Amino acid sequence: MIRRDIITPDRRPAWLLIPQIAHAELAGNLAEVWRLDALGSAEVAADLRMAIHRHDDGWSDWDTRPGIDPKLGRPVNFDEMRLADSLAIWTRSIDEAVARGPLVGYCVAGHFTRLLRRFDSWRRDRALEALAREFLGRQEGNMAHWLVDWQGAKGASIDGMGADVARRGVSYLQFFDAISLWFCCADRMEPWKADLTDGESWTFSPSAGLAQGCQEVRISPWPLTVDRFNLTAGGRAVLAAEYRSTDEMLASTVAPELTLSWHLRP
């Protein structure tokens, strides 16, 4: 879940709680119209787009009833989770993804293993390190099997282009995940450059103001297959306060469904 600072129409501080599944859907909707020529085939691109759309499906229970930080009394943001909770949710996401196909599972597992390797906190705690390394070993073993399954089904060489395309698919998933987080996590007023691992980059330049609640964002160079495109993400708005329980926090809802929107153009 994403906890975004907002102000209510009557000027009270509040949080917009955006489900991880909604954030993933925004990423997937953008991927649907993004040129993915480097992946080589429409079938591979379709699997990747599925992975992007569904990569956070394991969050459904947490999104519905987000946990409360016992010290700060606020709903826990996705990057404030206990490692054990994150790993359980990521495992569910991977399990659901691989049911949609081996390449879908490979990309989602690759996304979460790369995320975990970027973290430092678990490396300083023996118990957390054991949890992290068990997850990494299990999922990287699964990825090797799923890659063989996918390549065998497609007739690709295990050591050839198929493996390179699969790894590039993971990079694309992380790329669209980062773009969606940029949109969802906070108001943006400054340009931002989104980079792919091979050196490609695009600049997102938000407008200074909102027009009827929809912010205009220009992208350069233009990467989409359409001339204009709209994105949305929604969530529950609750008052910013110190809470003792999830039920108490949900009872402070000021808008059960509040939608953000962006208009993309060259």
Side-chain angles (χ1 to χ4, degrees):
M1 184 211 67
I2 296 167
R3 186 188 66 242
R4 173 173 170 149
D5 294 334
I6 61 171
I7 299 296
T8 66
D10 58 357
R11 310 307 300 168
R12 290 183 293 173
W15 293 310
L16 179 61
L17 308 182
I18 301 174
Q20 289 294 112
I21 289 176
H23 136 71
E25 189 68 9
L26 186 154
N29 288 339
L30 183 59
E32 290 289 345
V33 293
W34 196 282
R35 295 187 183 92
L36 298 176
D37 302 336
L39 292 175
S41 79
E43 189 174 4
V44 171
D47 277 351
L48 173 60
R49 288 176 170 125
M50 175 65 73
I52 296 168
H53 274 291
R54 313 311 314 180
H55 76 270
D56 275 339
D57 277 4
W59 284 86
S60 58
D61 290 343
W62 185 278
D63 282 342
T64 302
R65 293 187 55 80
I68 301 296
D69 185 311
K71 294 182 179 179
L72 300 176
R74 66 187 185 187
V76 179
N77 198 52
F78 71 96
D79 59 356
E80 300 167 348
M81 304 279 291
R82 295 189 314 129
L83 181 62
D85 291 334
S86 291
L87 297 182
I89 289 170
W90 294 355
T91 298
R92 288 196 294 273
S93 295
I94 294 166
D95 290 346
E96 295 198 27
V98 75
R100 300 175 183 273
L103 182 59
V104 180
Y106 179 96
C107 289
V108 174
H111 168 60
F112 289 120
T113 55
R114 287 189 191 182
L115 280 183
L116 185 57
R117 289 193 179 279
R118 290 179 196 165
F119 296 164
D120 291 324
S121 58
W122 59 265
R123 303 177 193 274
R124 300 189 293 270
D125 183 296
R126 292 181 65 181
L128 294 182
E129 183 174 9
L131 281 175
R133 295 202 181 280
E134 190 280 331
F135 176 87
L136 290 170
R138 175 163 40 88
Q139 295 303 340
E140 287 170 353
N142 287 338
M143 289 171 65
H145 289 298
W146 296 333
L147 183 59
V148 171
D149 289 346
W150 173 64
Q151 291 173 320
K154 304 305 175 189
S157 168
I158 292 175
D159 297 321
M161 184 60 70
D164 291 338
V165 168
R167 286 190 290 268
R168 185 169 177 81
V170 177
S171 296
Y172 265 119
L173 195 163
Q174 297 208 292
F175 173 72
F176 287 107
D177 182 71
I179 293 173
S180 179
L181 290 176
W182 182 79
F183 279 112
C184 291
C185 287
D187 290 332
R188 307 297 184 183
M189 292 295 128
E190 299 297 325
W192 173 68
K193 187 169 74 170
D195 297 306
L196 262 176
T197 54
D198 60 2
E200 292 182 275
S201 64
W202 294 264
T203 299
F204 289 68
S205 300
S207 64
L210 298 177
Q212 297 180 344
C214 181
Q215 186 173 31
E216 182 179 274
V217 178
R218 295 176 181 264
I219 308 177
S220 177
W222 185 244
L224 306 188
T225 59
V226 294
D227 294 335
R228 302 283 191 275
F229 195 67
N230 289 330
L231 288 172
T232 62
R236 175 190 297 269
V238 300
L239 293 177
E242 187 171 335
Y243 297 107
R244 293 167 294 182
S245 69
T246 298
D247 287 334
E248 184 181 22
M249 183 268 295
L250 294 176
S252 78
T253 296
V254 292
E257 186 60 38
L258 179 64
T259 301
L260 306 173
S261 60
W262 301 268
H263 178 67
L264 310 184
R265 58 175 296 182

